[in-house]
């Protein structure tokens, strides 16, 4: 079964940048839309961004528009989330997820079939 692995999390100061990566060892992500979600203790998981299988369609939560950029390199079987101008409010566990569609993506948790284990992102001075 397809499994996703996140990497690139860590501690960063407010205003700093971080890039998360998502890959699927032993599988290809070419035919999957991929979403990034985040969760903090006591709250439900929320959508951050997503990208279609071709990369032709993307969506962003209002809270991250202009600061985060999702991209994919199918040749490297990797999806990225570039996070700039980070704020303490961005602190969360970030998850990537995959959905077997081609032409679009959504940021609904229930739409996605496969999930990574999460990567901690902490924004603090």
């Amino acid at each position: 079964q397809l499994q996703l692995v996140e990497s690139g999390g860590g501690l960063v100061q407010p205003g700093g940048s971080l890039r998360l990566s998502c890959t699927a060892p032993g599988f290809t992500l070419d035919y999957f839309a991929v979403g990034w979600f985040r969760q903090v203790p006591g709250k439900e998981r929320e959508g951050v961004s997503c990208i279609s299988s071709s990369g032709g369609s993307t969506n962003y939560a209002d809270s991250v528009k202009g600061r985060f950029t999702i991209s994919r390199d199918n040749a490297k079987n990797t999806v990225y989330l570039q996070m700039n101008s980070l704020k303490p409010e961005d602190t969360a566990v970030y998850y990537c997820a995959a959905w077997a569609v081609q032409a679009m993506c959504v940021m609904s948790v229930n739409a996605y079939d496969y999930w990574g284990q999460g990567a901690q992102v902490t924004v603090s001075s």
Side-chain angles (χ1 to χ4, degrees), residues 13-94:
Q13 293 185 322
S17 297
L18 209 58
R19 188 180 74 164
L20 301 179
S21 299
C22 175
T23 189
F27 292 84
T28 179
L29 291 175
D30 287 1
Y31 302 103
F32 293 85
V34 174
W36 286 98
F37 298 79
R38 65 188 182 187
Q39 188 170 24
V40 299
K43 295 186 64 179
E44 293 190 351
R45 198 166 298 182
E46 64 177 357
V48 176
S49 184
C50 67
I51 187 167
S52 63
S53 58
S54 68
S57 180
T58 60
N59 289 301
Y60 296 91
D62 288 342
S63 59
V64 307
K65 287 180 180 177
R67 299 189 297 120
F68 290 10
T69 302
I70 191 169
S71 63
R72 68 190 304 157
D73 185 343
N74 284 345
K76 295 183 177 180
N77 202 37
T78 303
V79 175
Y80 304 97
L81 183 67
Q82 179 67 46
M83 303 183 292
N84 298 326
S85 301
L86 283 162
K87 305 174 181 179
E89 300 95 305
D90 296 317
T91 296
V93 176
Y94 284 71

